[in-house]
Amino acid sequence: MRVALDTLFTTPVRFGSIVDYVRGVIRYAPAAAPDLELVVLVSARNRTLYEPLAAANVRFVECGASNEHLMLRILSQQLLIPSILKRERIDVLYACADVAPLLTHVPVVLKVNTFHHYHEPWALGRMRSWYRRGMIGASARRAFRVIANSESTRHDIVTLLGVPENRVELVYEAVDPVFRPAADAAAVRRAVRERYGLEAPFLLFVSKLYPYKGAETLIHAFALLAGGGAFAGEVVLVGSDDRGERARLEALARRLGVAPRTRFLGGLPNEEVPAVLASAELLVYPSLHETFGKPVVEAMRTGVPIVASSAGSIPEMVGDAAELVPPGDPVALAHAIEAVLSSPERRTQLVARGLKRGRDFSWERTASALVATWRAAAGRATPA
């Protein structure tokens, strides 16, 4: 079975969850199917992200431009990929970032990751929302199967995109195995203190600084906690800033009087995040909407208690392993944070439940499910 994997939506300068996901597919899918040949479609620039994962049954083929040139990337996906699929005698195309070629003879398995153009269009702008509505919907309706990473996403694929339920497969994502409980917590905290200067106890936020991720709500809640004397530590935000959101959040922290205790570490390499996560008092994840919610899974697998919003897929991901509050409510968020910080029993309970729930998100399980869907697609010449 020869499967092509489209990676053109990534760039070598913007690391994030989707790059981690693609790397996981390249690393684990071949192990789940000895007869699989994975043909990774890359650009001259983004292939550096994936070439270290080269293996006997993983091959790289250059295909136009990646996301550093948005319009060229779109043209490459729509015009170049179909001819390459034919030339390389591909059985299935796995398009794991929302869009796929609309005119191709090869069965497509499409993974839909975002519905912000429906739920928070204000965060994207009119043109981007318009493009996503048109292209994601058309790609999904033409695909042999559509992969949803949560029940919440599956519901949106059916109701908002008009894809029949029997063509939507639920395949949970997984996280890097580096996210696990620290063997020596004291040593990890010392290393984090020396590397990042994080002396005080801190609340942690991990995500790109997109407006819908709720960092503004967290800073408001932190100001309430600090003003009431409920928490004497800091709030630390880890995540890259692709849209200039950090300046707005820094101004908010200054206006609320908590700027000296609000730290921005920027985007960190994946292998450095577990130590910072393990050193935090809590992960606070007040996102307004999520299709999956990778940081909460990483926190559960690391053994860190979580306070999060009840938005989108988050309740599904955490089960009973987090304290949940309504999205966009800083008062409720502050009360939940204070409740967990003040109760060692509750913290211990959340950690134990999180470690148990986190075992459901493994790359071996994800890769096996993907391979099964690819096999079903390879046996069909046209979408169902």
Side-chain angles (χ1 to χ4, degrees):
M1 179 173 62
R2 186 173 292 171
V3 175
L5 173 64
D6 176 14
T7 75
L8 298 186
F9 50 85
T10 63
T11 70
V13 295
R14 289 187 181 178
F15 296 90
S17 297
I18 192 63
V19 173
D20 293 339
Y21 180 83
V22 173
R23 285 173 167 166
V25 171
I26 296 172
R27 181 180 290 118
Y28 290 96
D35 65 326
L36 172 66
E37 181 184 357
L38 195 61
V39 178
V40 184
L41 305 180
V42 295
S43 72
R45 290 196 60 186
N46 82 345
R47 70 183 300 156
T48 58
L49 293 171
Y50 309 114
E51 275 192 319
L53 302 172
N57 51 350
V58 176
R59 185 160 54 88
F60 298 88
V61 174
E62 285 194 14
C63 180
S66 48
N67 214 41
E68 67 273 5
H69 300 295
L70 179 59
M71 289 306 301
L72 290 179
R73 184 266 290 174
I74 293 172
L75 291 173
S76 296
Q77 287 178 315
Q78 296 302 318
L79 301 179
L80 292 182
I81 285 181
S83 62
I84 289 175
L85 299 179
K86 187 174 183 179
R87 185 191 73 198
E88 298 291 332
R89 293 175 297 166
I90 298 298
D91 297 310
V92 179
L93 170 65
Y94 184 41
C96 55
D98 303 309
V99 299
L102 300 183
L103 297 174
T104 177
H105 71 292
V106 172
V108 173
V109 174
L110 176 76
K111 181 172 180 287
V112 174
N113 303 301
T114 180
F115 280 93
H116 299 301
H117 49 294
Y118 283 98
H119 298 297
E120 298 88 24
W122 52 267
L124 300 176
R126 181 178 299 176
M127 288 301 294
R128 185 175 293 182
S129 293
W130 175 82
Y131 168 79
R132 288 189 180 183
R133 281 185 181 236
M135 286 300 297
I136 295 175
S139 298
R141 288 186 289 273
R142 286 167 170 77
F144 172 80
R145 290 288 183 270
V146 181
I147 298 293
N149 56 10
S150 66
E151 290 287 359
S152 172
T153 304
R154 190 203 321 237
H155 177 267
D156 282 348
I157 290 169
V158 173
T159 59
L160 298 179
L161 302 185
V163 180
E165 288 188 26
N166 64 351
R167 286 172 50 193
V168 184
E169 300 281 349
L170 174 62
V171 180
Y172 283 142
E173 295 180 24
V175 299
D176 195 305
V178 299
F179 290 94
R180 57 183 180 272
D184 187 340
V188 167
R189 290 192 179 93
R190 284 195 301 270
V192 167
R193 183 171 62 245
E194 292 169 4
R195 186 173 183 86
Y196 303 106
L198 298 177
E199 300 274 357
F202 61 91
L203 309 175
L204 182 64
F205 170 93
V206 178
S207 177
K208 285 191 174 184
L209 300 182
Y210 293 143
Y212 64 83
K213 292 295 186 178
E216 180 176 345
T217 303
L218 171 57
I219 292 173
H220 275 288
F222 178 64
L224 293 173
L225 292 167
F231 183 60
E234 298 179 330
V235 61
V236 175
L237 296 94
V238 171
S240 59
D241 180 22
D242 296 342
R243 301 181 187 174
E245 183 72 1
R246 175 172 171 173
R248 191 177 71 84
L249 295 172
E250 288 176 332
L252 174 64
R254 288 193 298 271
R255 189 164 69 250
L256 296 177
V258 293
R261 294 165 59 183
T262 303
R263 300 280 303 278
F264 293 84
L265 298 188
L268 299 181
N270 212 42
E271 61 271 14
E272 294 184 23
V273 176
V276 178
L277 189 57
S279 301
E281 300 297 306
L282 296 172
L283 175 80
V284 185
Y285 199 66
S287 180
L288 299 179
H289 187 266
E290 289 293 323
T291 55
F292 182 66
K294 184 166 166 276
V296 298
V297 176
E298 293 170 345
M300 289 190 296
R301 289 180 65 93
T302 307
V304 178
I306 301 164
V307 175
S309 73
S310 57
S313 67
I314 294 174
E316 177 186 348
M317 295 303 107
V318 299
D320 62 356
E323 196 75 32
L324 298 179
V325 300
D329 187 339
V331 175
L333 185 61
H335 286 161
I337 292 170
E338 183 176 4
V340 176
L341 289 174
S342 63
S343 173
E345 294 81 8
R346 180 60 172 155
R347 289 168 57 83
T348 299
Q349 182 185 63
L350 290 176
V351 168
R353 290 175 176 177
L355 290 171
K356 181 180 179 181
R357 174 61 172 154
R359 289 196 291 269
D360 293 335
F361 304 94
S362 73
W363 263 113
E364 290 77 13
R365 181 178 295 186
T366 297
S368 294
L370 285 176
V371 167
T373 303
W374 296 345
R375 287 198 191 284
R380 297 292 297 269
T382 58

